[in-house]
Amino acid sequence: MLSRTADHLFWMARYTERAENTARMLDVNVQTSMLPQSDAENAQGWRALLGISELQAAFDQKYRSLEGREVIDFMVRDPDNPSSIVACLTQARENARAVRGTLTTEVWEIQNQTWLDMQRRLQSDLLETDPSKFFEWVKFRSHLSRGVTVGTMLRDEAVHFIRLGTFLERADNTARILDVKYHGDLGSVAEAQQGMSQRDFYYWGAMLRSLSGFEIYRKVYRDVITPARIAELLILRDDMPRSLLACMDEVVQNLHAVRNDVSADTERFAGRLRAQLQFGRIDDILAHGLHDTLTRFLADIYELGNRVSRDFLVPLAA
């Protein structure tokens, strides 16, 4: 496969996943902002959301105050924000259009129709009157895109690069959400092992829902929610679809499927990262420091993305 084609497929998938992840995070903040809390606590929640995406500085340059509606507008349709949902879905469509001949008709039509529907929905007042409904639509379109890809495309290199982009992006997002929540709210390993107040339960429950993990948590642990178990579920469980280990399993498998003459070192790098998760224990991670562990993981995921670009995709501009 031509590296330019692989590049378009890889980034089509990353932008689609990024749009879904942004919608998930925004929906959680909309839900938690309705809970009883002070203005300072509400603002802290929105600021944490911007911090997850490393967009605090860009937001502060454009807005004087930190209001929920302004953060939503910035994260959904601001043309100056390259990570907004509008920007992500537009870039996903443009990348799909560039490799139209590589995709099945169904996959292309999903990408194109999503972009068209997005224009119509944003021209209405849906985002202002019922933002959660808009975010659910974004998530649904992402699910539809993945399902049609798996259900209609030949299992060749095109699908492997699409899934590689999807799971690299998902791993990055899960780590960011978990790091922001823990770094801000967790005081010690002992606290991580304990239950939580009713107020914290709603916040942590919302975070689990943002990663489609609330029902899974109840099924796996059948007990009170604790931060340590949440961390274990989202980091070390290979049967949790959005966990770091599950994402790295997919990354390693798809890297192996597209391996070439120069990718052995990148495969070893990804394999080492997966092995650290596969054989890790949550007690050891908490004792070492969850924030440090996640920070290192994010740096490794960034490096892995650069290595994939170097070995398979169009070289980055100097």
Side-chain angles (χ1 to χ4, degrees):
M1 174 177 287
L2 293 175
S3 61
R4 185 169 297 277
T5 299
D7 184 74
H8 285 302
L9 293 168
F10 178 82
W11 283 105
M12 177 193 76
R14 288 203 73 158
Y15 280 121
T16 300
E17 182 72 19
R18 190 173 299 175
E20 178 188 349
N21 293 333
T22 300
R24 287 175 176 275
M25 291 186 293
L26 285 168
D27 194 28
V28 167
N29 267 59
V30 167
Q31 300 299 325
T32 56
S33 67
M34 298 178 185
L35 297 174
Q37 59 187 313
S38 67
D39 291 342
E41 290 172 327
N42 187 42
Q44 182 182 8
W46 290 110
R47 190 172 296 279
L49 173 62
L50 292 168
I52 290 173
S53 305
E54 300 181 0
L55 292 170
Q56 183 67 64
F59 179 86
D60 289 341
Q61 287 179 354
K62 190 163 187 177
Y63 298 92
R64 294 184 177 181
S65 62
L66 189 65
E67 299 288 342
R69 62 180 180 274
E70 293 175 340
V71 176
I72 290 174
D73 189 74
F74 179 70
M75 296 291 289
V76 172
R77 56 185 169 195
D78 193 317
D80 297 327
N81 176 10
S83 295
S84 68
I85 290 176
V86 165
C88 287
L89 292 181
T90 298
Q91 286 299 318
R93 177 186 183 257
E94 289 305 303
N95 278 284
R97 186 173 62 84
V99 289
R100 172 67 186 85
T102 305
L103 306 173
T104 60
T105 299
E106 292 89 344
V107 173
W108 160 247
E109 287 180 347
I110 289 296
Q111 292 289 344
N112 189 49
Q113 193 61 48
T114 296
W115 185 82
L116 293 172
D117 287 350
M118 177 183 66
Q119 309 303 315
R120 289 193 288 267
R121 288 172 184 272
L122 291 178
Q123 288 171 6
S124 70
D125 62 350
L126 178 62
L127 193 59
E128 289 73 26
T129 59
D130 193 351
S132 289
K133 187 174 181 180
F134 176 81
F135 300 141
E136 284 297 324
W137 173 82
V138 174
K139 289 189 285 183
F140 172 76
R141 297 303 297 188
S142 180
H143 297 328
L144 195 58
S145 176
R146 284 194 301 274
V148 170
T149 297
V150 172
T152 68
M153 288 190 65
L154 185 68
R155 304 293 176 85
D156 60 2
E157 287 185 326
V159 166
H160 294 311
F161 279 112
I162 289 172
R163 293 184 69 78
L164 187 56
T166 295
F167 288 101
L168 275 174
E169 187 68 31
R170 185 176 296 181
D172 180 273
N173 178 77
T174 297
R176 288 181 187 277
I177 290 179
L178 192 55
D179 186 36
V180 168
K181 182 62 180 173
Y182 261 87
H183 196 45
D185 291 357
L186 192 62
S188 66
V189 175
E191 290 179 35
Q193 306 287 1
Q194 299 171 359
M196 58 188 70
S197 67
Q198 184 176 18
R199 179 177 176 274
D200 283 340
F201 171 84
Y202 285 116
Y203 278 98
W204 283 97
M207 192 272 283
L208 277 172
R209 288 188 179 92
S210 76
L211 296 166
S212 297
F214 188 82
E215 290 85 359
I216 293 175
Y217 184 98
R218 288 302 195 192
K219 184 175 182 179
V220 170
Y221 296 104
R222 302 176 183 272
D223 201 352
V224 64
I225 291 178
T226 67
R229 287 174 176 169
I230 292 174
E232 182 180 55
L233 179 71
L234 297 178
I235 296 175
L236 302 179
R237 296 276 312 198
D238 62 356
D239 51 358
M240 166 61 187
R242 290 185 171 270
S243 74
L244 302 187
L245 178 54
C247 290
M248 287 309 304
D249 281 343
E250 290 282 351
V251 168
V252 168
Q253 290 172 23
N254 286 284
L255 266 177
H256 180 76
V258 298
R259 67 194 313 178
N260 59 27
D261 294 339
V262 299
S263 65
D265 190 52
T266 297
E267 285 190 73
R268 282 193 292 270
F269 186 88
R272 177 180 61 80
L273 189 53
R274 180 182 65 172
Q276 291 172 352
L277 298 169
Q278 183 178 4
F279 298 106
R281 296 176 64 251
I282 193 59
D283 290 343
D284 295 336
I285 291 174
L286 292 174
H288 179 269
L290 185 62
H291 174 64
D292 291 341
T293 299
L294 293 173
T295 298
R296 186 174 64 251
F297 179 84
L298 285 168
D300 287 340
I301 282 291
Y302 181 79
E303 172 63 19
L304 181 56
N306 286 339
R307 287 169 179 255
V308 169
S309 294
R310 179 196 67 196
D311 295 344
F312 301 102
L313 312 180
V314 176
L316 297 175

